């Protein structure tokens, strides 16, 4: 069984103690990583700080070239990294609708190249006989990136590449559940980047807390739960660190009664269940008009019964296990609560006997807002389908939640769907789609789903600070 080192200042570093990383398909360890203490966190931040002046002073074209080389390294090592992602996260190599480790690597590569090519040109606010006023973007310094377990490598790329593109240096702390592919990526990246530009420390929440409270960190980019996001914000307050927080979602989808149920149901099933529902912007609450409710529930239940659940390394597997035991317990508890409060479980809804953290994909009818499965983010393979009678009621129910990451409207009349979509309180709205992010369009939450955006020019700007330059002419 392989033991992975941390990479600090371009060197492999061990902490003197390690912990096991479990494959959720078997419940058995498959690798070990270092368990960082405060000394390693300090060393990583110091290495990033030392590397910052030279990295931020590099000509733009050179930084871009190094980032494209990182994209090349991801591509050259794709099959190894895919297998590591599947072993640690449980997500299938291909998966439902091809949303699996292959897509995670494909996305990581695409995001790297697209972000490398984004420029933030200086803006000229005024240029007349009195003065010229320019707005410049400068890097912030040391960025701490804290990543979750659902899309471990792709989310690391989402954090690291724009931070580096803007001229910052980075200390990355992956989730203790899924640190392996990220550690391997940082090892590969250190053949391309100068020492200290990208460092990785592995460990539990304590290492994350030491990093996010570190006085020499300038910015934190975090993807994970709202609860931990709030803790990080408190921790960052002492030194007023900049924050990008991409937190939980409880995305609603509203289906208008003009759709064809048989055509739309497989699409809805895909956007709710890919990666076992463990995606921040999965569809997590589905509102269906009373005229189509029974047919839609029946169709979704059929799909849930037919989907192939198993070990992600087996060819043909569409859904793997839930990523960890604690998350499996949350999903099981929500299913039990739904049953106790009048929910009808139309398919699945049980933990599978035997090894691994498997849950039978579930469709639950008969609930509405106020039930835990509707109000709370399930982050697992169980979807509540909620009946509505008029569209105003559906919009009100969709907005009746503290989260506001994404939302969708499904209709054969896109113009009407857009009008309804604009009334949803969320950072992204998709029409006849859900969760379809892309590297050049901003993505982020409103309400308690986060602060700031990622991707594209808007996301890149969050890794910079503004300097206004005023040149007097008279
Ligand atoms: P967390 O938010 O606790 O973990 C996310 C990351 O934060 C991990 O790297 C974790 O490290 C780290 N972390 C934990 N505590 C601290 C701290 N005090 N300071 C700094 N970093 C810290 O997610 P969970 O794993 O507990 O998942 C719980 C819920 O979060 C899920 O049920 C789901 O609702 C939501 N979630 C949302 C995600 C999204 O994409 N928006 C992704 C994952 C989860 P470590 O793992 O080592 O403790």
């Amino acid at each position: 069984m392989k033991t992975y080192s941390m990479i600090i200042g371009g060197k492999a570093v061990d902490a003197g103690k390690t912990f096991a990383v479990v494959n959720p398909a078997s419940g058995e360890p498959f690798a070990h990583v270092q368990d960082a203490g405060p000394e390693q966190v300090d060393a990583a931040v110091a290495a990033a700080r030392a590397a910052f002046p030279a990295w931020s002073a590099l000509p733009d074209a050179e930084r871009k070239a190094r980032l494209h080389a990182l994209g090349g390294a991801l591509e050259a090592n794709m099959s190894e990294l895919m297998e590591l992602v599947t072993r640690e996260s449980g997500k299938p190599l291909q998966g439902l609708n091809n949303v699996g480790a292959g897509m995670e690597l494909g996305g990581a590569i695409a995001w790297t190249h697209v972000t490398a090519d984004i420029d933030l040109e200086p803006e000229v606010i005024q240029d007349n006989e009195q003065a010229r006023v320019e707005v410049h973007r400068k890097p912030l310094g040391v960025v701490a990136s804290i990543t979750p377990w659902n899309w471990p490598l792709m989310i690391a790329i989402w954090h690291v590449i724009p931070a580096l593109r803007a001229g910052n240096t980075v200390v990355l702390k992956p989730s203790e559940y899924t640190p392996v592919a990220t550690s391997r990526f940082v090892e590969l990246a250190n053949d391309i980047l100068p020492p200290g530009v990208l460092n990785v420390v592995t460990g539990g929440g304590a290492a994350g807390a030491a990093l996010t409270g570190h006085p020499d960190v300038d910015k934190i980019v975090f993807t994970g739960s709202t609860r931990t996001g709030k803790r990080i914000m408190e921790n960052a307050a002492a030194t007023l660190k900049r924050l990008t927080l991409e937190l939980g979602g409880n995305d609603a989808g509203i289906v208008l009664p003009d759709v064809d149920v048989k055509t739309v149901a497989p699409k809805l099933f895909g956007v709710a269940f890919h990666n076992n529902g463990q995606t921040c912007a999965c569809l997590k609450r589905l509102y269906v008009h009373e005229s189509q409710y029974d047919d839609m529930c029946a169709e979704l239940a059929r799909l849930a019964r037919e989907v192939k659940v198993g070990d992600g390394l087996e060819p043909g597997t569409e859904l793997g296990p839930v990523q960890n035991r604690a998350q499996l317990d949350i999903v099981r508890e929500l299913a039990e609560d739904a049953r106790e409060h009048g929910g009808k479980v139309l398919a699945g809804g049980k933990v599978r006997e035997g090894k691994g953290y498997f849950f039978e994909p579930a469709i639950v009818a008969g609930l509405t807002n106020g039930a835990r499965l509707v109000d709370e983010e399930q982050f697992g393979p169980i979807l509540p389908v909620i009946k509505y009678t008029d569209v105003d009621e559906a919009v009100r129910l969709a907005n009746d939640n503290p989260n506001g990451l994404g939302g969708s409207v499904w209709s054969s009349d896109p113009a009407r769907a857009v009008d309804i979509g604009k009334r949803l309180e969320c950072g992204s709205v998709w029409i006849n789609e859900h969760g379809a992010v892309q590297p050049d369009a901003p993505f982020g939450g409103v309400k308690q789903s986060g602060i700031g955006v990622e991707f594209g020019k808007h996301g890149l700007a969050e890794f910079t600070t503004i300097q206004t330059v005023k040149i007097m002419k008279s």
Side-chain angles (χ1 to χ4, degrees):
M1 200 177 300
K2 190 167 172 182
T3 299
Y4 289 79
S5 295
M6 298 182 283
I7 306 284
I8 298 176
K11 295 197 179 72
V13 172
D14 290 345
K17 49 183 176 152
T18 61
F19 62 91
V21 183
V22 169
N23 176 346
S26 64
E28 305 287 334
F30 77 98
H32 285 88
V33 296
Q34 306 301 315
D35 193 359
E39 326 81 75
Q40 284 91 34
V41 172
D42 282 347
V45 174
R49 176 60 60 196
F52 176 66
W55 178 251
S56 57
L58 270 189
D60 226 28
E62 218 170 299
R63 268 204 307 271
K64 278 190 184 187
R66 304 268 184 131
L67 296 184
H68 283 303
L70 288 187
L74 285 169
E75 206 162 349
N77 294 278
M78 190 159 169
S79 51
E80 178 197 349
L81 290 166
M82 274 173 66
E83 190 178 320
L84 293 179
V85 165
T86 294
R87 282 191 195 281
E88 65 184 342
S89 74
K91 107 176 12 100
L93 290 169
Q94 296 313 327
L96 180 65
N97 297 342
N98 278 325
V99 183
M103 202 198 94
E104 178 148 4
L105 261 295
I109 293 164
W111 252 267
T112 300
H113 289 302
V114 171
T115 309
D117 281 334
I118 300 175
D119 294 311
L120 290 177
E121 304 289 357
E123 207 182 326
V124 178
I125 300 291
Q126 178 186 327
D127 193 13
N128 57 20
E129 59 285 357
Q130 276 103 39
R132 180 178 166 89
V133 180
E134 298 169 348
V135 177
H136 292 259
R137 295 270 172 187
K138 296 170 69 173
L140 289 153
V142 176
V143 172
S145 149
I146 310 279
T147 54
W149 43 258
N150 55 342
W151 291 90
L153 186 61
M154 189 154 73
I155 292 176
I157 292 292
W158 289 355
H159 291 184
V160 165
I161 301 299
L164 297 180
R165 172 71 192 88
N168 305 281
T169 54
V170 177
V171 180
L172 180 50
K173 210 297 276 173
S175 165
E176 65 194 298
Y177 292 121
T178 53
V180 179
T182 306
S183 296
R184 177 71 179 123
F185 160 67
V186 176
E187 187 182 20
L188 293 165
N190 270 265
D191 290 338
I192 293 164
L193 299 170
V197 168
L198 177 59
N199 310 274
V200 61
V201 289
T202 48
L211 180 60
T212 53
H214 199 290
D216 215 17
V217 165
D218 300 287
K219 173 176 173 111
I220 301 164
V221 51
F222 168 77
T223 304
S225 65
T226 302
R227 181 175 41 84
T228 303
K230 288 178 182 174
R231 233 183 271 152
I232 285 176
M233 199 167 173
E234 279 172 24
N235 219 8
T239 48
L240 225 58
K241 298 180 199 317
R242 276 55 184 158
L243 294 171
T244 299
L245 303 176
E246 205 264 89
L247 308 176
N250 195 355
D251 289 11
I254 299 176
V255 183
L256 301 187
D258 60 6
V259 300
D260 177 59
V261 169
K262 284 222 161 12
T263 310
V264 167
K267 295 182 188 170
L268 292 167
F269 188 79
V271 296
F273 282 88
H274 73 75
N275 198 27
N276 256 336
Q278 302 168 122
T279 299
C280 45
C282 261
L283 195 163
K284 292 174 181 146
R285 298 176 282 151
L286 183 63
Y287 293 89
V288 178
H289 189 260
E290 59 186 0
S291 62
Q292 295 186 319
Y293 186 78
D294 291 343
D295 289 348
M296 183 67 83
C297 286
E299 198 59 18
L300 290 169
R302 182 183 66 76
L303 292 162
R305 280 189 290 268
E306 286 175 3
V307 71
K308 192 159 179 259
V309 180
D311 185 333
L313 291 174
E314 302 280 332
T317 297
E318 292 178 299
L319 299 180
V322 172
Q323 200 282 324
N324 59 73
R325 160 97 44 211
Q327 192 62 42
L328 183 66
D329 288 343
I330 292 174
V331 174
R332 180 194 3 222
E333 202 182 295
L334 288 174
E336 280 164 12
D337 185 82
R339 282 191 188 95
E340 280 164 22
H341 291 90
K344 276 184 243 131
V345 181
L346 302 179
K350 293 212 170 70
V351 173
R352 268 197 189 168
E353 298 290 322
K355 64 183 184 153
Y357 309 143
F358 290 98
F359 188 86
E360 291 169 9
I363 300 294
V364 181
L367 297 177
T368 188
N369 289 39
R372 281 189 62 198
L373 180 61
V374 180
D375 288 358
E376 297 176 23
E377 180 184 29
Q378 68 276 55
F379 220 66
I382 177 165
L383 179 71
V385 186
I386 303 132
K387 190 188 288 186
Y388 74 85
T389 45
D390 72 74
V391 137
D392 288 344
E393 178 199 9
V395 170
R396 184 179 57 72
L397 292 171
N399 287 338
D400 176 27
N401 196 274
N403 294 292
L405 192 58
S408 59
V409 183
W410 301 74
S411 170
S412 56
D413 179 351
R416 178 155 184 253
V418 169
D419 283 344
I420 294 164
K422 284 180 174 166
R423 294 168 60 196
L424 297 180
E425 295 165 358
C426 52
S428 298
V429 170
W430 295 277
I431 307 301
N432 296 325
E433 241 304 359
H434 199 107
V437 295
Q438 59 187 69
D440 53 358
F443 170 67
V446 301
K447 302 204 278 190
Q448 292 191 33
S449 284
I451 293 179
V453 294
E454 298 186 271
F455 316 155
K457 267 185 198 280
H458 300 83
L460 184 57
E462 298 215 1
F463 290 92
T464 67
T465 190
I466 279 177
Q467 186 172 53
T468 305
V469 178
K470 183 167 188 175
I471 309 142
M472 298 312 295
K473 293 191 185 169
S474 58

